Amino acid sequence: MTELTKDVVVIGAGAAGLTAANELRKAGLSVAVLEARDRVGGRLWTDEIDGAMLELGGQWVSPDQHALIDTVAELGLETFSRYRDGDSVYIGPDGVTQRFTGEMFPVSPETERTIAEITERLDAMIAEIDPDRPWEHPRAVEWDTISWDAWLRAQTDDDEAVRNLAFATGSAMLTKPTHAFSLLQSLLMAASAGSYSHLVDADFILDKRVVGGLQQVPVLLAERLGDDVLLNQPVRTLAWSHEGVLAEADAVTVRARFAILALAPVLYPRISFVPPLPRLQHQMHQHISMGFVIKVHAVFDRPFWREQGLSGTAFSPYELCHEAYDNTNHGDERGTLVGFVSDRTADDLFRLSADERRARILESLSHYYGEAAKDPVVYYESDWGTEEWTRGAYAASFDLGGLHRYGADLRTPVGPIHLACSDMAGAGYQHVDGAIRQGRRAAAEILERTRS
């Protein structure tokens, strides 16, 4: 058992933890980063599967994610734009595949007008919300005690409009059934991107990718820390008092003045805290859970959909794969599609055999792109629900009523223990941008305490 003494022990080597560790190191404090996995990056994971480079976790960079954009540039990484030339595809309730250009799906004029009116209403509500403190809005309690689904259905009886509006924060982002989270949680998701309009604009939110994969961000941050990043070291016990902390992992113990928990709150129960965390944290963490999504990667010998004049962008709230995109790697002659299956639909798929699941998913993709989509040369499903140190995707969110009740306490330090991850971000919520912001915040809190 190796014993270390540091100023700060960081638990978790994702973007938040590694950002915090680098900020503290630059300020002259000593750090140790303990990571349970055999790699850094957390929910960022770029890997080679059957000869194809796949981004198994987070991958996109949007124009409003300034913390991530600045970090990418500072690390010397390059970005490239997502392919979007040509027509997009939409499948409505009649099952007919329709091509379209622009942002609005090819729905009836009445449905289009309804979607536009409710989107305008949502943008006005979101403009009043501080994404870092949504619980402070005067109507926070009201908005947090009605589900996203119930609020939408109170606005219109147009089912197709409701399904398309609900999609953006339900299946696409929080990856939970729309009755399971509140209007306020949905507004936070949209406010974190600047507006609801941004959230439903694929050309905005899914703008660019990093050449070589987004996991390079944590990999390069970890390289700067050298031997102070220790892998395969899940923290089993964290003892804490006003004098500091003692973190015990499988092969190392770290005594430090402060700790940063840089992991999703749903993983806190994996650690034995001595003494236990206060009652408030115990209650709060019972109201936070991960969503669930299958990220499907299908690689073909060429991007055949481009030959048909398609951008690769496809949507349908009626399809098994509710959205899909051209995910071809920079400079790759092959073509890659990425599709998503979320919440209850994903649950149902995992009750099938692997072969049945693959057949169902590829059938759904073929509804967008034609029969050629059924025959990829590489096929892979990212299943973060079985990742021991993640347990879901994309991130954690509160249940109905939880955000206004506990949100203000989510980032509050507990004695010498500080907290940081994308799940507790305002701006950049659920994204790498938010993780970087939260890592900087936690480091700044500790630095302020060392100066006082």
Side-chain angles (χ1 to χ4, degrees), residues 10 16-26 29 31 33 225 260 439 443:
V10 178
L18 293 169
T19 296
N22 273 276
E23 293 291 308
L24 294 166
R25 172 79 76 79
K26 284 189 288 187
L29 272 61
V31 299
V33 181
L225 299 168
I260 296 178

Side-chain angles (χ1 to χ4, degrees), residues 201-396:
D201 182 357
D203 286 347
F204 181 88
I205 200 74
L206 310 180
D207 182 30
K208 296 184 184 297
R209 291 175 56 199
V210 170
V211 176
L214 192 53
Q215 192 190 1
Q216 290 178 98
V217 168
V219 167
L220 293 176
L221 289 174
E223 286 180 1
R224 293 180 173 180
L225 299 168
D227 294 338
D228 287 328
V229 178
L230 299 112
L231 304 179
N232 298 302
Q233 295 302 321
V235 172
R236 307 298 185 181
T237 302
L238 185 63
W240 59 283
S241 70
H242 68 280
E243 297 178 352
V245 300
L246 179 65
E248 298 182 1
D250 289 350
V252 63
T253 62
V254 182
R255 192 176 301 276
R257 298 165 61 190
F258 302 98
I260 296 178
L261 289 183
L263 64 166
V266 297
L267 295 175
Y268 292 179
R270 304 295 303 276
I271 301 172
S272 294
F273 292 90
V274 182
L277 291 177
R279 175 197 54 78
L280 178 63
Q281 276 70 28
H282 283 235
Q283 287 295 116
M284 180 196 316
H285 299 151
Q286 292 180 60
H287 291 270
I288 301 173
S289 62
M290 301 292 284
F292 183 44
V293 64
I294 307 170
K295 184 179 184 182
V296 178
H297 314 262
V299 183
F300 303 85
D301 58 7
R302 71 190 195 287
F304 64 86
W305 52 93
R306 298 182 186 177
E307 300 165 6
Q308 304 168 21
L310 296 177
S311 65
T313 301
F315 301 98
S316 175
Y318 304 95
E319 274 295 322
L320 189 72
C321 284
H322 54 72
E323 58 181 320
Y325 304 93
D326 185 320
N327 212 40
T328 303
N329 291 324
H330 181 70
D332 193 348
E333 294 181 356
R334 293 172 298 181
T336 300
L337 291 171
V338 63
F340 299 89
V341 184
S342 67
D343 65 75
R344 291 168 295 184
T345 307
D347 289 342
D348 292 341
L349 274 182
F350 273 103
R351 294 185 174 95
L352 305 177
S353 69
D355 288 343
E356 289 177 302
R357 191 165 61 245
R358 170 183 167 128
R360 295 270 189 97
I361 290 172
L362 292 179
E363 175 67 30
S364 183
L365 289 178
S366 76
H367 298 166
Y368 296 123
Y369 308 107
E371 289 296 306
K374 294 183 179 180
D375 192 27
V377 295
V378 177
Y379 175 87
Y380 188 79
E381 298 165 6
S382 296
D383 172 19
W384 287 88
T386 56
E387 284 287 312
E388 183 179 7
W389 303 106
T390 304
R391 299 192 167 190
Y394 305 106

Side-chain angles (χ1 to χ4, degrees), residues 41-60:
R43 283 166 268 180
L44 298 182
W45 189 6
T46 306
D47 203 1
E48 185 172 303
I49 306 293
D50 297 332
M53 190 202 84
L54 303 179
E55 300 232 51
L56 306 184
Q59 62 174 68
W60 280 297

Side-chain angles (χ1 to χ4, degrees), residues 126-143:
I126 290 160
E128 300 176 355
I129 288 179
D130 179 350
D132 288 318
R133 287 172 287 276
W135 46 85
E136 292 183 357
H137 191 279
R139 300 180 67 181
V141 175
E142 173 192 349
W143 289 350

